[in-house]
Amino acid sequence: MLVDAQWNLTCPADSEVDCGSLATETCLGSVGQRAILGVHGELACTGDAILAVCESVDRPDGTRNISLEANVDRGDRSFPKFAFELGARIDPADNSVESCNVTITEDEVPYNVGGCGEEPPSMAQPCQLSNISTGNGEVSFAIECRSLISSVTGTSGFDVGAVGGGPTPIQFANCRGL
């Protein structure tokens, strides 16, 4: 399993949502820039291994459930300190999004309130997926979130995207079921 997940966290722009608590210096990057790059089991972050999961299951209705996760720095905790997760139902005929949810974990706090889809980010659907591609054992897409709120705090969140703004590309390779 190979993962290339890089994202940038910034305080929500044009929103009443408070800024989440940002770990400024981490083994994944500094000032909100995060990168989990490597192979499942490869050592990163103070000796912790990268945990990368990419699974696809075809459903009887013709859609495909895709589960992606990349995390590091679990230490002796069952919950990761930093992670990127996506659960989505995709129509493989045209790679359209039927439903999905994204979770960004920053310094042990999950930011995961609201769904994602192909529409521009809104309070009801804070994350937009675009350029979705599945096949040949790979899943790739671009993601951009506006005011992705924490289920723990209920009031704080982050904008998620590429450094400099816009969507950020995410890629998983050697996925099971594709």
Side-chain angles (χ1 to χ4, degrees), residues 63-104:
T63 60
R64 177 178 287 158
N65 282 352
I66 296 178
S67 298
L68 307 172
E69 179 179 358
N71 72 62
V72 293
D73 203 4
R74 282 185 179 271
D76 58 358
R77 302 173 305 271
S78 62
F79 196 78
K81 193 167 184 177
F82 303 98
F84 175 90
E85 296 176 53
L86 176 76
R89 182 174 298 159
I90 305 289
D91 182 342
D94 59 4
N95 284 322
S96 62
V97 178
E98 301 289 320
S99 65
C100 70
N101 193 57
V102 66
T103 300
I104 300 288

Side-chain angles (χ1 to χ4, degrees), residues 35-61:
I36 300 176
L37 304 166
V39 177
H40 175 78
E42 183 178 354
L43 291 181
C45 288
T46 63
D48 278 343
I50 294 172
L51 176 88
V53 175
C54 179
E55 298 177 331
S56 174
V57 176
D58 290 336
R59 297 175 38 90
D61 66 2

Side-chain angles (χ1 to χ4, degrees), residues 12 15-20 111 113 148-157:
S15 173
E16 294 180 17
V17 174
D18 293 331
C19 193
Y111 294 84
V113 175
L148 183 61
I149 298 173
S150 170
S151 58
V152 173
T153 67
T155 59
S156 63

Side-chain angles (χ1 to χ4, degrees), residues 3 5-9 14 40-41 49 56 68 74 111 115 118-119 123 176:
V3 61
Q6 299 179 60
W7 64 95
N8 189 48
L9 301 173
D14 303 325
H40 175 78
S56 174
L68 307 172
R74 282 185 179 271
Y111 294 84
E118 296 174 276
E119 299 299 317
M123 286 306 287
R176 284 190 277 166

